[in-house]
Amino acid sequence: MNRHRDLLQRDAKHVWHPFTQASIAPEPLPVVRAKGSWLELADGRRLLDAISSWWTCNHGHSHPDIVAAISHQAATLDHVLLAGCTHPPVVELSERLVSIAPKGLEKVFYSDDGSTAIEVALKLAFKYWANTGRPEKKHFVALAHAYHGDTVGAMSAGDHGAFGGSYASLLFPVERIHHGYNNSCTGCVEASQRPGLGLAKLREIFEARSGEIAAMIMEPMVQGAGGMLIQEPEFLRGVRELCDAHDVLLIADEVMTGFGRTGKMFACEHAEISPDILCVSKAITGGTLPLSATLVREKLWNAFLGQDKARAFLHGHSYTGNPIACAAAVANLNIFASEPVFKRIEAIEAVYEERLPALLEYDAVSEVRWLGTIGAVELKSDVKGYMSNKAASLASKFLEHGYLMRPLGPVLYTMPPYSTKSEELHALYDVFEKLLSQ
Ligand SMILES: Cc1ncc(COP(=O)(O)O)c(C=O)c1O
């Protein structure tokens, strides 16, 4: 039996794939190698990883500097618990993260993935108010179309419609505002007025009950899984101002947007704001190992100090601050200094500027939008949101042409590794036009 078939048969026996209805899903792709922007399958086919393997792989697969850092660290200190111990990679990474993060974020708590970074943020915000004598500030405000992960707290903050619907009774309630982007009514709401819509609602909520609200949580500038919905920086700035005025913490979920994705190191920079809590993951290790970090302001850290153990943040995971993952993350940050990373990001955005508006000429397309390395094409669909199958058949045709895409309902997007060359991305959009014209 060939290697390709063998892998698929053994996989089918025991592997439960994420976000997959196994009864109807096509067979998984047996991937055996990756280099730069390309994946290699067991049967020798090559695919361009146009979505950076769920938005993790920023510089390109198996970057030699990250591979070397992992290998060196694994041979030096593989793992040690972070409670009561420390080690060079975690200290260096913490210094480096604080030095590049929006200003004011001074302390770093580590966990393993985006969802757990969000759980940490929610629990820290909740306990911050309890520790400072205001336990009634325990509720959260979030955005419509939000996605913050699949653990129970993260699902509560996320829009239940998309992924959390079946678990609604398990989740805690949150107030939800729309950022003003109106997908069903593009054109009826002027872009310049959109931020105002969400902000007016947020002001209303804060004026009525900010005394009960711990934090506002949001994906700044781009809501990823919700369909690559792009905000105006004024919206983010307005949220920051309202949080300040009403004594509400701002949690920025930069799990997807961090480390260059939107054209800045962090999306908050577009609005020149600093959150009180920042969550990062995905590209933090260049897409090699699971790691996440929740950065907080000094005032949060201070609120957990004291002689009473119960004031402390009694939370952690077996692999919190794993040395190998931290070393990979330091290597990832070094690449921003040693290679022209932001030039590569600009080159990707330039392809979007050139190619995406042209797609509006096709009947099937309702909207295009882009920011940094994120380019999204929304197809006309009767079913709104993630459950729409509109883009799925297009994605499977892309696969035949050698491109790995994964639609979000009616939205087909590209978010390639920064190593992707302009010609490679142009070739992908040539295929896009060909498929749309069929
Ligand atoms: C903005 C955002 N937050 C949190 C998460 C959850 O991250 P993870 O899948 O690593 O748990 C994701 C994942 O896509 C995300 O896009």
Side-chain angles (χ1 to χ4, degrees), residues 134-149:
R134 300 183 70 186
E136 66 288 353
K137 278 174 81 68
K138 59 184 183 187
H139 297 286
F140 293 90
V141 181
L143 291 182
H145 307 297
Y147 180 74
H148 297 291

Side-chain angles (χ1 to χ4, degrees), residues 187-434:
C188 12
V189 183
E190 285 278 321
S192 62
Q193 290 172 9
R194 288 179 191 166
L197 294 179
L199 294 178
K201 176 77 179 152
L202 189 62
R203 184 175 298 110
E204 211 179 280
I205 294 171
F206 283 178
E207 281 173 359
R209 45 183 303 235
S210 66
E212 300 161 26
I213 295 170
M216 162 83 197
I217 176 166
M218 63 183 288
E219 295 155 85
M221 293 307 294
V222 188
Q223 291 184 274
M228 303 300 157
L229 305 176
I230 298 173
Q231 304 150 18
E232 286 77 16
E234 292 74 25
F235 175 70
L236 182 52
R237 216 170 290 136
V239 171
R240 176 70 273 182
E241 283 165 16
L242 285 172
C243 287
D244 283 341
H246 293 273
D247 214 6
V248 170
L249 298 173
L250 176 59
I251 303 172
D253 175 355
E254 295 232 25
V255 166
M256 179 192 79
T257 51
F259 307 104
R261 270 291 158 211
T262 68
K264 307 264 185 201
M265 189 58 106
F266 296 103
C268 285
E269 292 170 26
H270 288 278
E272 297 174 327
I273 63 117
S274 279
D276 300 293
I277 305 181
L278 174 76
C279 301
V280 291
S281 185
K282 290 200 184 271
I284 191 171
T285 58
T288 55
L289 288 168
L291 179 72
S292 61
T294 305
L295 284 78
V296 303
R297 286 177 185 266
E298 196 92 32
K299 72 170 183 184
L300 276 106
W301 162 261
N302 289 337
F304 288 76
L305 301 177
Q307 297 310 305
D308 181 3
K309 245 179 150 179
R311 283 180 73 83
F313 189 47
L314 302 179
H315 178 112
H317 305 283
S318 311
Y319 285 98
T320 292
N322 171 259
I324 307 175
C326 289
V330 170
N332 165 51
L333 295 181
N334 287 342
I335 294 167
F336 281 91
S338 63
E339 297 184 15
V341 176
F342 282 97
K343 284 217 159 59
R344 292 176 187 152
I345 292 169
E346 278 165 26
I348 290 173
E349 188 163 19
V351 175
Y352 294 152
E353 274 161 18
E354 197 180 329
R355 302 302 297 264
L356 288 181
L359 299 188
L360 285 171
E361 304 286 311
Y362 295 90
D363 276 350
V365 176
S366 72
E367 190 170 302
V368 295
R369 41 188 184 264
W370 66 90
L371 185 67
T373 63
I374 305 166
V377 179
E378 178 143 356
L379 304 178
K380 291 176 189 152
S381 169
D382 295 336
V383 182
K384 289 277 162 213
Y386 188 76
M387 292 305 172
S388 164
N389 285 325
K390 202 70 196 179
S393 62
L394 211 52
S396 57
K397 288 186 192 141
F398 263 113
L399 197 56
E400 289 164 21
H401 285 84
Y403 298 98
L404 179 62
M405 309 270 271
R406 223 186 126 83
L408 293 162
V411 178
L412 207 54
Y413 67 94
T414 50
M415 201 194 291
Y418 311 155
S419 51
T420 309
K421 297 188 181 72
S422 298
E423 315 81 88
E424 291 170 327
L425 204 50
H426 273 297
L428 184 155
Y429 281 98
D430 289 343
V431 170
F432 217 138
E433 296 215 27
K434 189 170 142 194

Side-chain angles (χ1 to χ4, degrees), residues 80-152:
V80 66
L81 72 168
L82 200 63
C85 298
T86 192
H87 51 78
V90 81
V91 172
E92 184 171 0
L93 178 59
S94 306
E95 290 168 351
R96 298 284 297 276
L97 286 174
V98 166
S99 74
I100 58 167
K103 66 176 182 313
L105 299 162
E106 299 284 346
K107 300 284 179 186
V108 190
F109 193 96
Y110 290 96
S111 31
D112 308 330
D113 48 46
S115 305
T116 43
I118 297 294
E119 297 294 332
V120 167
L122 297 171
K123 285 177 71 174
L124 281 177
F126 179 91
K127 196 165 163 65
Y128 166 76
W129 291 112
N131 279 2
T132 52
R134 300 183 70 186
E136 66 288 353
K137 278 174 81 68
K138 59 184 183 187
H139 297 286
F140 293 90
V141 181
L143 291 182
H145 307 297
Y147 180 74
H148 297 291
D150 291 333
T151 51
V152 172

